[in-house]
């Protein structure tokens, strides 16, 4: 069961990485729809904006009708094919053997500039699809544009996956609790300023906090902000109540 779970997680991560790069291509080019597919017509990943609506079925039908011809061309070394239709232009770009990056343009655009983005995306997609490592040695084999895209993708994937982790959820819950505690003493309007100063002081941010750093931060807020403004009695009460409570929440959170 553990192996099955790990395999499913790997597939989920791969699909997210592929879709993230397709979305990135959509954002920096004139493409209207972008697909990553096998020559058998199976869609591995896609980025289809909501406003395309029902027209996507027209597009995909045209693409499917051409895949057999394109796949035959791939067997004899086709790298890229530009096909113009009444609704626009479709660019089929080979990604390794048996996979295609399919870019759909519904308006007249400067294909020269878009081709550069497509070629970069094609190399990135091949790297992801073959699950190559993101080592410095691997990245040095690419152009600067491709290497930078791979680094940016790696950061996006890590950030997205981290926000789904138990560690991140724990830190967000503790942050909400700390904000509530400070607000009850200093007022809601002071919370953001107080916490910004405290996080800067310990050189961290909420999502990366460790248990020791949370304790340090809360103690710092009490000593540097609450004690000078509200006196020893209030500060000591906060210290006696908040620190044990925060420690209990950190320890009780199930990772």
């Amino acid at each position: 069961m553990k192996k099955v779970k790990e395999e499913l997680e790997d597939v989920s991560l791969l699909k997210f990485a592929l879709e993230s790069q397709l979305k990135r291509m959509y954002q920096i080019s004139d493409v209207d729809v972008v697909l990553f597919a096998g020559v058998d017509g199976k869609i591995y990943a896609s980025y289809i904006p909501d406003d395309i609506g029902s027209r996507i079925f027209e597009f995909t039908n045209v693409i499917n009708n051409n895949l057999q011809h394109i796949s035959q061309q791939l067997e004899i070394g086709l790298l890229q094919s530009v096909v113009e239709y009444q609704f626009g232009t479709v660019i089929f770009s080979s990604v390794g053997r048996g996979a295609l990056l399919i870019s759909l343009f519904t308006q007249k655009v400067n294909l020269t500039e878009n081709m550069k983005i497509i070629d970069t995306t094609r190399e990135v997609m091949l790297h992801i699809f073959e699950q190559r490592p993101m080592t410095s040695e691997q990245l040095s084999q690419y152009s600067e544009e491709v290497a930078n895209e791979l680094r940016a993708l790696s950061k996006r994937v890590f950030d997205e996956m981290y926000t789904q982790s138990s560690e991140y959820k724990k830190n967000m819950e503790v942050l909400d609790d700390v904000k509530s505690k400070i607000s009850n003493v200093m007022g809601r309007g002071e919370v953001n300023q107080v916490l910004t100063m405290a996080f800067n002081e310990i050189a961290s941010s909420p999502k990366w906090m460790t248990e020791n750093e949370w304790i340090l931060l809360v103690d710092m807020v009490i000593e540097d902000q609450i004690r000078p403004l509200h006196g020893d009695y209030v500060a000591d009460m906060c210290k006696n109540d908040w620190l044990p409570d925060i420690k209990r929440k950190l320890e009780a959170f199930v990772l």
Side-chain angles (χ1 to χ4, degrees), residues 105-163:
F105 300 87
T106 60
Q107 299 177 5
K108 291 288 185 181
V109 297
N110 184 337
L111 287 182
T112 301
E113 289 301 315
N114 283 282
M115 281 293 192
K116 294 178 183 177
I117 298 172
I118 290 171
D119 288 340
T120 297
T121 303
R122 176 168 57 176
E123 290 196 64
V124 172
M125 297 298 281
L126 180 60
H127 185 103
I128 304 166
F129 197 54
E130 294 184 346
Q131 300 186 60
R132 300 177 191 172
M134 290 282 193
T135 61
S136 299
E137 182 180 358
Q138 281 281 332
L139 296 183
S140 67
Q141 299 175 22
Y142 295 113
S143 66
E144 183 178 354
E145 290 79 8
V146 174
N148 287 339
E149 282 295 320
L150 284 166
R151 292 188 188 97
L153 173 64
S154 180
K155 184 178 185 307
R156 290 198 305 274
V157 171
F158 177 80
D159 288 346
E160 178 67 21
M161 291 299 103
Y162 183 75
T163 60

Side-chain angles (χ1 to χ4, degrees), residues 149-188:
E149 282 295 320
L150 284 166
R151 292 188 188 97
L153 173 64
S154 180
K155 184 178 185 307
R156 290 198 305 274
V157 171
F158 177 80
D159 288 346
E160 178 67 21
M161 291 299 103
Y162 183 75
T163 60
Q164 305 302 316
S165 71
S166 296
E167 190 70 25
Y168 177 85
K169 292 174 183 177
K170 175 189 71 174
N171 280 339
M172 293 304 99
E173 286 190 17
V174 173
L175 176 64
D176 288 341
D177 186 48
V178 170
K179 284 183 174 181
S180 176
K181 285 176 165 54
I182 296 172
S183 177
N184 289 337
V185 175
M186 303 189 70
R188 187 174 299 175

